[in-house]
Amino acid sequence: MKITKYIIHASLGLMLIAGNGCNKKLDVLPQQQITPEQITTGEDVKAVLFGSYSALQHFNSFGERNLFVADLLAGDEQLKWVGTFVNYRQVFQKRQDKTLSIAEGMWGRAYIAIAGVNTVLEKISVVDTSEQKSIAAEAKFIRGIVYFDLVNFFGQPYSAGNTTTNEAVPLILESVGTYVPDRDNKPRASVENVYKQVIQDLTDAAAGLPESNDDGRANKYSALAFLARVYMNQGKYAEAATAANDVITNGGFNLESTIEKAFNNIAASSEDIFTIQQTTQSNAGTSNNGMTTFYAAKPVGRGDAQILPAFLDRYEDNDTRKAFVYSGVSITGAPGTYTGKFKDLYKAIPIVRLSEVILTRAEANFRKGGAPVGGVTPLEDINEVRSRAKATPLLVVTSNDFADERFRELAFEGDRLWTVKRLKLKVGNLNYNDPKLVLPVPQSERDVNPNLSQNQGY
């Protein structure tokens, strides 16, 4: 089955991501395909929703590659790849080609999640009226964050301009049943149009989601935190500061007392705004891939990604984030230094933490000028994050301080590439908009969809 079937037939295989196993109609063998027409009850719809959450846990999504591939692409000054997997080495070296299996996997898993939530939205009328608003909002949250990562990985950054002509990915907003080529072979939408859809979905999600939810499920502040990311990429600093301030002021989150307490937790910590739950069944660990597989040394992981000594020089000696590392060896026996953020198997992966949102409010307030949203100055915000790390408080703050602090605080969490792109910095000798910092449209998709163009450089 070619990867394109994840777009045109993904809704025919919803049972593959049905997740919680409570609905026997969806708990069936892969060859027993479930069509949208067979989703007839509220429990069916919720099972499909939980299945889309499960898709986010997969190593081709936020369970690994949405974070790790971004780190590899931007890793020239942060980490080194010492592993044996050729496809990951190609990404780290920026030598990937149009047949890159990693790009195929990320594209395919994203459209599996999208197909699921599109079916949820189509069938929302069969859900109890008391739950319709929140279930629909969760579906739009998932679709919004998945498309946000798709547009970032497969399109030129928003900061590059030409957003109405630069192409990203197909926008699939309806449930798909029987495949009709003339209808379903959609071209790539523009970067601008994908961003508009992301903003609409996340805005609707923030309006419809509860202020708190079960572990691993989105709430209002999860949507607002992602909206802040979107607005930062667009340079809409007033909007970013407002969204971030709402999370900080009203979300009830608190920084953990130490950076160590923010990671390797069974469930969300007090500063986690959205997490991906990992278990023995959710593609985490050395046998099934995951952040721990590559970022943890033997014997827990493979130890393929090691920290460059020069990166640790970015920290003051008294900065506890500098000490949040350990020595170990890779699967090939190469000695090195490893981050402590993903040291243990089957723990929650932080996707958005409060410290990121504080740094976002700080930078957005600084760049927009005028009175700070929330009444807290950029200097006070950045020093709150530094204070937790025992770093020396800054006396003044400059524009360069925000990227530097994000590089330190959010290292190995997939943030560096997007910070580089939105601020038009460099990765090694590559400009922020270099074609090799964008993934190829999977060739297997283009083989069956003649309307898909390829990215420059492939």
Side-chain angles (χ1 to χ4, degrees):
M1 179 180 292
K2 291 186 178 293
I3 296 298
T4 191
K5 296 304 196 313
Y6 285 123
I7 297 180
I8 61 178
H9 285 328
S11 62
L12 301 182
L14 294 174
M15 70 289 157
L16 294 176
I17 57 171
N20 67 354
C22 65
N23 189 306
K24 295 303 179 183
K25 183 186 295 185
L26 300 182
D27 189 15
V28 294
L29 296 174
Q31 61 268 27
Q32 296 173 265
Q33 294 181 329
I34 299 296
T35 66
E37 290 71 28
Q38 292 171 277
I39 309 299
T40 59
T41 70
E43 290 305 308
D44 292 345
V45 172
K46 284 188 280 187
V48 175
L49 176 69
F50 297 151
S52 288
Y53 274 115
S54 295
L56 301 185
Q57 293 176 307
H58 195 273
F59 68 85
N60 272 317
S61 187
F62 290 93
E64 179 207 308
R65 286 178 171 171
N66 286 22
L67 310 182
F68 188 56
V69 170
D71 282 347
L72 289 179
L73 286 172
D76 292 53
E77 299 175 12
Q78 180 169 297
L79 58 85
K80 61 180 177 179
W81 174 259
V82 299
T84 58
F85 292 124
V86 173
N87 53 356
Y88 285 97
R89 184 187 305 120
Q90 289 174 340
V91 172
F92 177 67
Q93 295 175 339
K94 271 66 78 179
R95 295 180 178 177
Q96 66 274 15
D97 62 27
K98 64 184 180 181
T99 64
L100 181 70
S101 62
I102 289 172
E104 290 182 348
M106 293 172 67
W107 178 290
R109 186 57 47 172
Y111 280 104
I112 284 177
I114 290 167
V117 296
N118 284 345
T119 297
V120 169
L121 293 169
E122 179 184 306
K123 296 294 184 177
I124 197 67
S125 62
V126 304
V127 176
D128 188 276
T129 54
S130 65
E131 295 183 282
Q132 285 184 12
K133 181 178 179 181
S134 62
I135 294 296
E138 282 188 87
K140 289 187 176 183
F141 169 81
I142 292 172
R143 190 169 69 184
I145 68 172
V146 170
Y147 267 122
F148 185 49
D149 268 30
L150 280 172
V151 70
N152 286 330
F153 276 114
F154 292 96
Q156 277 290 326
Y158 201 91
S159 59
N162 300 315
T163 58
T164 60
T165 54
N166 284 341
E167 293 182 312
V169 294
L171 274 175
I172 312 294
L173 304 177
E174 60 282 328
S175 179
V176 179
T178 303
Y179 170 52
V180 180
D182 291 342
R183 180 195 69 192
D184 296 318
N185 281 344
K186 292 191 175 184
R188 298 166 69 191
S190 69
V191 168
E192 186 67 35
N193 283 340
V194 177
Y195 263 80
K196 286 180 179 178
Q197 186 61 49
V198 168
I199 291 172
Q200 185 64 63
D201 278 345
L202 292 177
T203 300
D204 290 347
L209 283 165
E211 294 196 359
S212 62
N213 213 338
D214 297 335
D215 265 353
R217 295 177 66 180
N219 60 35
K220 171 183 178 179
Y221 302 107
S222 308
L224 288 170
F226 269 95
L227 269 175
R229 286 183 176 181
V230 177
Y231 289 137
M232 288 294 282
N233 277 11
Q234 294 182 304
K236 295 180 178 179
Y237 297 121
E239 291 90 337
T242 299
N245 183 68
D246 197 346
V247 175
I248 296 166
T249 304
N250 302 313
F253 305 101
N254 297 286
L255 291 181
E256 292 285 349
S257 58
T258 65
I259 188 69
E260 292 89 346
K261 292 182 179 179
F263 293 91
N264 301 299
N265 297 305
I266 295 175
S269 74
S270 67
E271 68 181 76
D272 286 332
I273 298 165
F274 186 65
T275 62
I276 293 297
Q277 300 296 318
Q278 294 286 267
T279 68
T280 55
Q281 285 79 42
S282 60
N283 294 304
T286 56
S287 61
N288 296 304
N289 298 326
M291 296 294 280
T292 305
T293 299
F294 299 107
Y295 271 134
K298 284 185 63 182
V300 176
R302 289 180 51 88
D304 293 325
Q306 298 178 345
I307 300 175
L308 289 172
F311 178 73
L312 294 178
D313 292 340
R314 284 182 172 270
Y315 299 90
E316 298 174 309
D317 287 342
N318 57 308
D319 193 320
T320 58
R321 295 171 296 190
K322 184 175 186 177
F324 193 31
V325 298
Y326 64 101
S327 298
V329 295
S330 73
I331 195 74
T332 61
T337 302
Y338 296 89
T339 177
K341 291 185 175 181
F342 305 103
K343 190 175 182 179
D344 297 336
L345 289 171
Y346 315 131
K347 305 299 183 182
I349 299 175
I351 304 302
V352 188
R353 296 191 291 120
L354 179 61
S355 58
E356 175 196 334
V357 180
I358 292 172
L359 291 175
T360 293
R361 183 175 72 175
E363 182 179 352
N365 274 329
F366 180 91
R367 297 193 187 283
K368 79 173 185 62
V373 174
V376 180
T377 68
L379 181 62
E380 290 172 322
D381 267 340
I382 202 169
N383 276 337
E384 181 179 0
V385 174
R386 290 176 61 82
S387 176
R388 194 262 295 273
K390 311 300 181 186
T392 304
L394 300 177
L395 299 179
V396 295
V397 66
T398 68
S399 60
N400 292 334
D401 289 324
F402 300 106
D404 288 343
E405 202 60 42
R406 291 182 81 96
F407 292 162
R408 285 187 284 261
E409 175 67 19
L410 304 174
F412 318 113
E413 297 178 58
D415 180 79
R416 181 185 177 91
L417 180 64
W418 315 125
T419 297
V420 164
K421 287 191 172 190
R422 68 179 176 81
L423 295 179
K424 300 184 178 182
L425 305 177
K426 285 191 171 186
V427 173
N429 294 322
L430 299 181
N431 290 326
Y432 75 100
N433 59 348
D434 190 281
K436 284 302 183 181
L437 297 179
V438 178
L439 294 180
V441 175
Q443 186 59 39
S444 54
E445 290 282 350
R446 300 187 68 235
D447 288 342
V448 292
N449 181 355
N451 296 324
L452 287 179
S453 61
Q454 183 56 275
N455 281 323
Q456 181 184 352
Y458 297 101

